[in-house]
Amino acid sequence: MYTMQAVLGDITKMNVDAIVNAANRSLLGGGGVDGAIHRAAGPRLLKECRRLRGCNTGDAKTTKGYDLPAKYVIHTVGPIWQGGSANEEVLLKQCYLSCLAQAVEKDVRSIAFPAISCGVYRFPVEIAVRIAVSTVEAFMRRNDGLIALKEVYFVCFDEAMYQKYSERVNDK
Ligand code: AR6
């Protein structure tokens, strides 16, 4: 069995094995959730990120969590919304699958996702939430009992986002 839950709050405060960062291809930090994670993790995070030499859109790379409560940060790069005809939906789905693959590789028991691409990258929230929940749910169902991962949190930074996720996530 596993649980999937929408929560309202700051992902840097989550007591989970891994938090996901909505980064950019440089992996060298930025604004939004990326900036918050780097601030909370401390400068050792950037030092490790420099060694990763970037990340492609849709892929994910893992570092330690340093000063965060989380043991790991899984950095993924979401697509920039360009109107919908630039493969954005497939790439966003790929982000979630890449993060889940990293989590399985690290034997992570709990993971927290932000709303990847829903800020600076302007992905329409309605579509992004549907992709996030359906991709993670299908993965968890397919792998139920086979992997260490048991708890998934979708961390929403504001009430409107929390409403959107809550409509789709049925706590099981
Ligand atoms: N905890 C949880 N969610 C947060 C937090 C937080 N502390 N802070 C912001 N969010 P964004 P993107 C939400 O812009 O669209 C960066 O500069 C936010 O409200 O952080 O993938 C990177 O370096 C929104 O719902 O990520 C890239 O250049 C969601 O996180 C670029 O932004 C994602 O917003 C990536 O853009």
Side-chain angles (χ1 to χ4, degrees):
M1 273 310 283
Y2 60 90
T3 59
M4 271 178 43
Q5 239 178 283
V7 296
L8 184 59
D10 178 351
I11 201 165
T12 66
K13 305 278 198 292
M14 291 294 290
N15 276 301
V16 287
D17 292 341
I19 63 169
V20 171
N21 182 16
N24 58 62
R25 286 167 59 178
S26 77
L27 296 186
L28 298 179
V33 72
D34 194 6
I37 288 173
H38 275 272
R39 274 193 301 280
R44 290 176 296 169
L45 179 61
L46 181 58
K47 212 172 158 202
E48 186 175 354
C49 282
R50 282 209 183 92
R51 293 201 294 270
L52 298 176
R53 308 213 160 271
C55 182
N56 289 324
T57 304
D59 284 350
K61 292 186 179 180
T62 303
T63 64
K64 292 180 197 163
Y66 298 100
D67 297 342
L68 291 164
K71 185 173 179 197
Y72 298 110
V73 179
I74 301 174
H75 307 263
T76 190
V77 183
I80 299 170
W81 183 259
Q82 290 170 52
S85 51
N87 214 27
E88 295 97 324
E89 296 192 31
V90 172
L91 288 166
L92 186 62
K93 178 174 180 170
Q94 208 53 55
C95 285
Y96 284 94
L97 292 174
S98 299
C99 291
L100 291 163
Q102 290 284 307
V104 168
E105 197 182 301
K106 301 288 184 199
D107 258 333
V108 157
R109 209 186 162 280
S110 51
I111 189 170
F113 287 96
I116 302 164
S117 287
C118 287
V120 175
Y121 284 178
R122 301 184 317 272
F123 209 105
V125 170
E126 206 75 53
I127 309 172
V129 172
R130 173 174 53 72
I131 292 170
V133 176
S134 64
T135 303
V136 174
E137 185 155 43
F139 179 91
M140 294 304 290
R141 209 177 280 158
R142 200 161 58 237
N143 291 287
D144 197 16
L146 304 172
I147 56 176
L149 186 60
K150 302 281 179 252
E151 293 171 30
V152 180
Y153 300 94
F154 295 103
V155 182
C156 308
F157 207 46
D158 57 59
E159 187 69 43
M161 187 67 79
Y162 178 69
Q163 282 305 326
K164 292 263 177 355
Y165 270 97
S166 298
E167 284 164 21
R168 292 195 175 264
V169 178
N170 337 313
D171 191 12
K172 282 193 258 29

